Amino acid sequence: MQRLPIRRLFHLSIILTTAIMLFSMEPADASVYNLMKPVYHVYVDGENIGTVDNKDKLNETIDKLKQEEKGDGLVLSLENEVKVVPERLFRPSYDNNEAIKQLEDDLAFVAEGYELSLGKEKVGIFASEKQAKNALWAYAKPFLSEDHIEKVERMTKNELPTGKKRYPADALEFSEAASIEKIDAAPQDVLTEGEGVSRLSKGYKEEYIHSVEEDETLEELAKKYEMTEEEVVELNDLSEDEELNKGDELQVLKEKPFGMVVETLQSVEDEAITHKTETKKSNSLLKGEREVTQTGKDGEKSVTYRITRENGRVVAKDVVEEEVMVEPVTEEITVGTKEISSKGTGSFEWPAVGGTITSKQGDRWGSFHKGIDIAGVSDKTISTVDNGTVKAAGKRSGYGNQVTISHNNGLETTYSHLASISVSVGDTVQKGSKIGMMGTTGKSTGIHLHFEVYKNGELQNPMKYL
């Protein structure tokens, strides 16, 4: 074994003796200990970042950083492990500024967050469950009816027997299930209630494949999906001057709502019950004639609906109950089936309602009067003298409004100076049916009917047939 030189043994003996004397001092003789100054070595996540002479400065720095990070209602905790090791030295070395600066650079905080999701889509993180639910409620209210809002707020006003607070959002229904999960989050990722409402209103963007249409430009495509041209270029790795061709498939971002606010309401509405119409045939009426034997009248009912709305838009309206208040009255109509023969009987009926002949056929005022004039009637209705077909109906020079009827048996009659005409060319008329009203149109000296008769085209004397 190697021996130490005598001189080195002597020095070691002095050092050991001094050390023993220091540690064996009585408290009363602690002047040497008091000469030693305390310092604090700071470790962040196991790594020494510096030494300070006052640990209060460390706590002040941590509190200051926490206040700078702290948002509305945020609960923060240190993400790092901070350890302070004290030591006393005769001539300690420390640098407060450097240690504090390094501490500010290294420290990070984590927030207590509450992540709101609708279905599989994450809306955002809030400082508390209350803020998340308040954001949901503020987003939903504009889509709800006033009665629904009042009912929900009244229902959630009082606390539960357990003392737990109710939130209006708890009474909401969404097309996607709402959930809130407690998580750790970076403080800068935590939303305020207002930011949450804005995000809920805006929705999220989902990737979607767009097939380019003919002559569609990048500007038009971007505008259609509310994107910038730069976003489309970057998403599809396009060059800025690249032209689009019909059928190109490009990725775009399409806005989608996180979830629809679903509202189910009951509504009672008074509605009309449309009356029915029943038609019966009758051979006592001519074919084409209709007679209302009972006037129809709509009824009234009270209908209870279950209405489903999504974001204020009605998507379903189902009948729950109906109650008839007034029964409807069926309208009854009789339709004639009796066929009208267009062939005349050969026996004429008087064409007016009463009246007398004021001018016969023959010479009159220096000319030949072709027919007869009838005036002095009790009713101005003019009717056809026999069955037939309307050959002409309209104005004729000198005769005014005139109707010509072919009786389909060689006979033809004309009715002139009418105030109005009630038939049209091609109509089949029955003996005694109305064809117009007596008047004074054309060359007329007063209200009367000018009546003429023809057989096989030859003028006849009307008195021979009347």
Side-chain angles (χ1 to χ4, degrees):
M1 184 176 71
Q2 186 177 1
R3 294 179 178 273
L4 290 173
I6 295 175
R7 182 175 294 180
R8 291 190 63 187
L9 284 172
F10 176 74
H11 288 166
L12 180 59
S13 174
I14 293 173
I15 293 169
L16 289 172
T17 303
T18 306
I20 291 168
M21 289 175 64
L22 285 172
F23 283 105
S24 62
M25 284 182 179
E26 295 296 328
D29 297 323
S31 58
V32 175
Y33 177 83
N34 291 334
L35 290 174
M36 300 171 73
K37 294 183 178 180
V39 291
Y40 304 90
H41 305 293
V42 185
Y43 293 83
V44 175
D45 295 331
E47 183 179 346
N48 181 259
I49 64 163
T51 302
V52 297
D53 68 341
N54 187 341
K55 66 178 181 180
D56 289 340
K57 291 182 180 180
L58 298 176
N59 293 331
E60 290 173 3
T61 299
I62 293 172
D63 289 342
K64 183 191 77 170
L65 293 174
K66 184 182 287 189
Q67 289 302 318
E68 290 174 353
E69 291 278 3
K70 195 169 185 179
D72 182 25
L74 268 182
V75 177
L76 298 177
S77 59
L78 270 175
E79 189 175 6
N80 315 86
E81 180 188 15
V82 179
K83 187 176 181 180
V84 179
V85 178
E87 186 180 13
R88 297 183 76 88
L89 298 170
F90 283 110
R91 294 181 181 178
S93 176
Y94 60 87
D95 189 330
N96 291 338
N97 292 335
E98 181 61 30
I100 296 298
K101 181 179 181 304
Q102 193 62 45
L103 186 68
E104 291 175 343
D105 291 341
D106 291 352
L107 283 190
F109 292 89
V110 64
E112 185 180 281
Y114 292 80
E115 187 170 55
L116 170 64
S117 299
L118 285 172
K120 295 181 180 179
E121 297 299 326
K122 301 182 186 303
V123 177
I125 303 167
F126 296 83
S128 66
E129 182 182 18
K130 176 183 176 182
Q131 288 190 5
K133 290 184 175 181
N134 285 350
L136 267 180
W137 178 238
Y139 163 67
K141 281 179 73 173
F143 299 119
L144 303 175
S145 63
E146 291 185 8
D147 287 345
H148 193 163
I149 293 171
E150 184 180 343
K151 180 181 177 181
V152 169
E153 291 182 336
R154 186 173 61 251
M155 182 176 64
T156 57
K157 186 176 181 180
N158 299 321
E159 291 185 352
L160 294 165
T162 57
K164 187 177 180 181
K165 183 174 176 59
R166 290 174 174 173
Y167 294 96
D170 295 332
L172 294 177
E173 183 183 353
F174 292 90
S175 57
E176 302 289 340
S179 61
I180 299 173
E181 181 185 1
K182 187 177 180 180
I183 61 170
D184 289 336
Q188 64 270 21
D189 292 338
V190 178
L191 303 176
T192 64
E193 287 183 19
E195 290 169 339
V197 174
S198 177
R199 187 169 293 184
L200 282 163
S201 301
K202 189 175 181 181
Y204 66 97
K205 289 191 174 182
E206 184 179 67
E207 285 194 7
Y208 171 80
I209 299 299
H210 173 82
S211 182
V212 176
E213 299 174 2
E214 191 170 358
D215 298 326
E216 188 172 29
T217 65
L218 182 62
E219 181 183 3
E220 291 170 339
L221 189 151
K223 187 176 181 180
K224 181 176 182 178
Y225 293 98
E226 297 183 357
M227 298 173 65
T228 64
E229 293 180 45
E230 291 74 16
E231 285 175 332
V232 177
V233 168
E234 185 177 347
L235 191 60
N236 293 277
D237 196 23
L238 302 174
S239 60
E240 292 185 2
D241 56 349
E242 188 167 341
E243 291 186 3
L244 303 183
N245 298 309
K246 182 181 179 181
D248 286 349
E249 292 189 339
L250 298 179
Q251 284 187 318
V252 292
L253 297 176
K254 196 173 184 180
E255 285 192 354
K256 290 189 67 177
F258 283 107
M260 299 287 194
V261 181
V262 179
E263 181 182 30
T264 303
L265 306 169
Q266 276 206 346
S267 173
V268 179
E269 301 176 16
D270 292 333
E271 295 183 2
I273 304 174
T274 304
H275 69 269
K276 295 179 181 179
T277 300
E278 291 182 356
T279 302
K280 295 185 295 184
K281 295 179 180 180
S282 173
N283 196 41
S284 63
L285 292 178
L286 295 173
K287 188 176 182 179
E289 289 186 351
R290 295 165 62 89
E291 183 179 307
V292 177
T293 55
Q294 178 172 281
T295 303
K297 186 178 180 182
D298 288 347
E300 188 178 330
K301 62 183 177 180
S302 176
V303 185
T304 302
Y305 287 102
R306 180 184 293 109
I307 300 172
T308 303
R309 304 197 309 175
E310 290 185 353
N311 279 13
R313 184 174 62 89
V314 175
V315 294
K317 189 174 182 179
D318 303 312
V319 176
V320 177
E321 184 182 13
E322 285 189 10
E323 181 182 358
V324 176
M325 312 300 287
V326 178
E327 291 285 354
V329 176
T330 301
E331 182 159 298
E332 296 178 358
I333 299 175
T334 301
V335 177
T337 58
K338 184 178 180 180
E339 294 284 349
I340 302 173
S341 174
S342 63
K343 186 175 182 179
T345 63
S347 173
F348 284 5
E349 192 176 89
W350 187 252
V353 182
T356 58
I357 298 174
T358 59
S359 182
K360 295 182 179 180
Q361 188 185 69
D363 293 330
R364 186 183 71 170
W365 307 330
S367 63
F368 186 77
H369 188 231
K370 292 183 177 181
I372 62 172
D373 292 342
I374 300 173
V377 296
S378 58
D379 186 319
K380 295 178 182 177
T381 300
I382 301 301
S383 56
T384 177
V385 295
D386 203 353
N387 299 342
T389 304
V390 178
K391 184 177 179 181
K395 289 184 178 180
R396 184 178 171 191
S397 178
Y399 289 90
N401 293 325
Q402 185 187 69
V403 174
T404 301
I405 295 176
S406 171
H407 299 285
N408 299 308
N409 58 4
L411 292 173
E412 191 173 286
T413 52
T414 65
Y415 310 78
S416 305
H417 306 306
L418 301 181
S420 62
I421 296 174
S422 304
V423 292
S424 301
V425 174
D427 286 352
T428 298
V429 292
Q430 187 181 34
K431 180 193 288 189
S433 61
K434 178 182 175 181
I435 60 172
M437 298 295 288
M438 186 182 290
T440 183
T441 58
K443 291 181 180 180
S444 170
T445 56
I447 296 174
H448 71 284
L449 169 66
H450 177 77
F451 177 69
E452 296 178 7
V453 180
Y454 293 83
K455 183 176 183 179
N456 298 323
E458 296 292 331
L459 183 67
Q460 303 290 308
N461 186 349
M463 299 304 295
K464 180 181 176 181
Y465 298 90
L466 290 172

